[in-house]
Amino acid sequence: MVVQYSYFKSEEHNINETLEKIEEIRYISYGVVNAAVISVGILGNLLTIYILHQPQFKGVTYLYFRALAISDLLCLMFTISSLHHLLYPVTINFSTAVWWSYFEMIFVNAPMSMSVLIIVCVTIDRFISVCRPADFVKVHSVHCARIGIAISTMLSVLVWIPACGLKIPLKVDQCNNSLWNEMHPNPIDENITKWTSCLRFEPTTEPWFLAYEWIRQTIVTFIPITLMIVLNSLLIKQFIKISKARFAMQRNSLHNICDDIKSSRNKFLMKKDDRNLIKLLAVITISFFITQFLSGIFNAMYTENRHDDLPFEIFRAIANDLEVLNHAMNFYLYILYIKPFRQSLKSMIKIHKISVSFISVPSNILSNIHQAVKKIKTVVKTQVTKRSKFGVAGIEQN
């Protein structure tokens, strides 16, 4: 009996230690890392929306980018609710439990899927512009862009509607698979009713729901990944071909080249903005694959009953962090690859007198630096005047 008691005591100790590690992982992942990424991402998407509404960004491609920034912003804002739910799965408000059960999943995930599908639309548009120029005029229009954005929105909402029936708001003591209640002891008086969002059934044990999850993730994750990789590979291949043709024509060009050869050469030339957009799409594709692939697998095997499985929680935390990062980094990619975007950002900073340095410099220090620069300019101007008047020897004597 003593041996049995020691065994159960040791097993209980191991379970408590595992739960403590899981709680620590959750706090670091959702309370620190994700909170920082969301803050930076919301700021970046707000700036993107503001900049892309400037008159110089009226093209079809920038219409896609504006829609992408809006969907990313909505995704990050609703993700705050999801993070709070993951950290504190028990509430005293029935309305909060209703939100968690019926609305949270679609409001968080639909904008994510919408962003993915919009990126696919941009990739298709760029692919047609380079590889199918004869059809480009028909596709590259504001009307087609709005249709693509509308289809992306409707499809994203439709594929996530069935997930809204996965949970139901229940009292904590009525939920058999309560969300880690033992990991988050509630200091509220036990006489107060506490609510949680409880699974109606275990998704991994229902074949029909498991099939739905894999079909959904195939539509919003795996097919987009495949399309983006294939189309961007063809884009890069065509881009290399055009670059080689341009180099050959530049090397063999003559001053008396005839007009028809000039016109044919111009067809091979690709604008610098188009080249930058292709590079941007290639980077977005790579980052999309890295950040979305794991989350796609996790969403396809979604469950909340493995709350005491440490490897699963580590995998879940990494997948969620990467997925949020994907919707927070587009602004910073635009800065790297779109020159007009950088110029507009500089103009906005200059107009609104925004300091973008990482260390805030007090105004009196800036004033002193300005005065010092003025003195240096005055000294340099005096020395240059003396040099031009007296020569080097005169300056050395002074």
Side-chain angles (χ1 to χ4, degrees):
M1 294 293 294
V2 175
V3 176
Q4 252 185 346
Y5 175 75
S6 302
Y7 170 76
F8 287 118
K9 186 175 181 180
S10 175
E11 186 178 3
E12 183 180 357
H13 174 73
N14 292 334
I15 293 174
N16 292 333
E17 186 178 355
T18 301
L19 293 177
E20 289 177 0
K21 289 181 180 179
I22 291 175
E23 188 175 7
E24 183 179 358
I25 290 170
R26 287 179 174 278
Y27 174 76
I28 294 173
S29 176
Y30 307 130
V32 179
V33 177
N34 256 337
V37 172
I38 288 174
S39 301
V40 174
I42 289 177
L43 175 62
N45 284 299
L46 286 173
L47 290 173
T48 300
I49 295 170
Y50 175 81
I51 291 173
L52 293 182
H53 274 87
Q54 303 302 313
Q56 63 268 34
F57 299 104
K58 294 299 183 183
V60 174
T61 303
Y62 294 118
L63 178 61
Y64 283 121
F65 285 160
R66 283 198 296 272
L68 178 61
I70 293 172
S71 62
D72 284 341
L73 178 63
L74 292 174
C75 167
L76 293 174
M77 292 176 66
F78 286 118
T79 301
I80 296 173
S81 169
S82 180
L83 296 182
H84 176 75
H85 184 193
L86 286 168
L87 291 172
Y88 307 101
V90 176
T91 179
I92 61 173
N93 299 314
F94 176 73
S95 58
T96 303
V98 170
W99 163 263
W100 287 347
S101 300
Y102 301 129
F103 302 103
E104 183 183 63
M105 186 166 288
I106 189 170
F107 275 89
V108 173
N109 291 286
M112 288 185 177
S113 301
M114 180 181 170
S115 298
V116 171
L117 297 177
I118 289 174
I119 294 175
V120 173
C121 290
V122 178
T123 306
I124 293 173
D125 180 81
R126 289 295 92 196
F127 170 78
I128 294 175
S129 70
V130 176
C131 301
R132 299 288 186 273
D135 302 324
F136 182 59
V137 178
K138 301 177 184 177
V139 177
H140 191 72
S141 64
V142 175
H143 178 69
C144 290
R146 288 174 178 171
I147 291 176
I149 294 169
I151 292 174
S152 300
T153 304
M154 290 187 292
L155 184 60
S156 301
V157 173
L158 288 175
V159 297
W160 283 100
I161 285 178
C164 296
L166 180 61
K167 300 178 184 179
I168 185 173
L170 288 177
K171 296 178 182 179
V172 173
D173 55 358
Q174 295 176 349
C175 183
N176 295 327
N177 49 11
S178 180
L179 297 178
W180 317 289
N181 191 29
E182 69 277 8
M183 295 173 57
H184 304 277
N186 201 330
I188 301 173
D189 187 0
E190 292 297 331
N191 295 324
I192 299 177
T193 303
K194 293 178 289 185
W195 299 87
T196 188
S197 176
C198 190
L199 289 171
R200 293 176 183 267
F201 51 85
E202 172 54 37
T204 56
T205 61
E206 297 290 337
W208 67 271
F209 196 85
L210 191 61
Y212 152 72
E213 288 183 324
W214 279 103
I215 292 172
R216 181 194 66 210
Q217 291 310 126
T218 300
I219 294 173
V220 299
T221 302
F222 303 130
I223 290 179
I225 285 177
T226 305
L227 276 176
M228 290 174 66
I229 291 175
V230 171
L231 294 181
N232 278 285
S233 299
L234 295 174
L235 267 174
I236 294 172
K237 181 181 178 181
Q238 185 69 11
F239 173 70
I240 294 172
K241 182 180 178 181
I242 291 174
S243 298
K244 289 180 178 179
R246 182 182 60 183
F247 177 76
M249 288 183 177
Q250 287 177 345
R251 187 177 60 181
N252 299 326
S253 62
L254 301 173
H255 293 291
N256 58 349
I257 190 169
C258 58
D259 294 337
D260 57 339
I261 297 180
K262 282 184 178 180
S263 61
S264 64
R265 177 177 179 270
N266 288 332
K267 292 180 182 179
F268 283 98
L269 293 179
M270 186 181 295
K271 294 180 180 180
K272 186 175 181 180
D273 292 341
D274 292 334
R275 296 199 301 269
N276 289 337
L277 283 176
I278 290 174
K279 293 178 183 177
L280 174 63
L281 284 176
V283 173
I284 289 177
T285 301
I286 295 171
S287 64
F288 174 79
F289 178 79
I290 295 173
T291 56
Q292 292 290 320
F293 186 73
L294 290 180
S295 65
I297 294 175
F298 169 74
N299 287 327
M301 51 181 287
Y302 176 77
T303 180
E304 289 183 346
N305 283 341
R306 300 178 63 179
H307 60 271
D308 57 349
D309 189 344
L310 182 59
F312 177 79
E313 287 301 325
I314 293 174
F315 169 74
R316 179 179 186 170
I318 294 173
N320 287 335
D321 286 346
L322 290 175
E323 187 173 24
V324 173
L325 179 63
N326 177 66
H327 301 279
M329 63 189 302
N330 287 332
F331 168 76
Y332 307 97
L333 294 178
Y334 298 158
I335 292 176
L336 290 176
Y337 289 96
I338 303 179
K339 186 177 180 180
F341 192 90
R342 291 197 302 270
Q343 293 173 343
S344 297
L345 180 62
K346 290 178 182 178
S347 300
M348 185 190 71
I349 291 171
K350 186 176 180 180
I351 292 172
H352 297 282
K353 297 180 181 180
I354 300 175
S355 175
V356 293
S357 59
F358 290 100
I359 303 175
S360 58
V361 183
S363 58
N364 57 343
I365 296 179
L366 289 174
S367 177
N368 292 335
I369 293 174
H370 181 66
Q371 294 296 330
V373 170
K374 287 180 66 176
K375 289 180 181 180
I376 292 172
K377 287 182 177 180
T378 303
V379 172
V380 171
K381 187 176 181 180
T382 304
Q383 292 295 329
V384 170
T385 303
K386 288 182 179 180
R387 181 181 293 273
S388 60
K389 188 173 182 180
F390 301 106
V392 178
I395 293 176
E396 290 178 351
Q397 183 177 359
N398 291 332

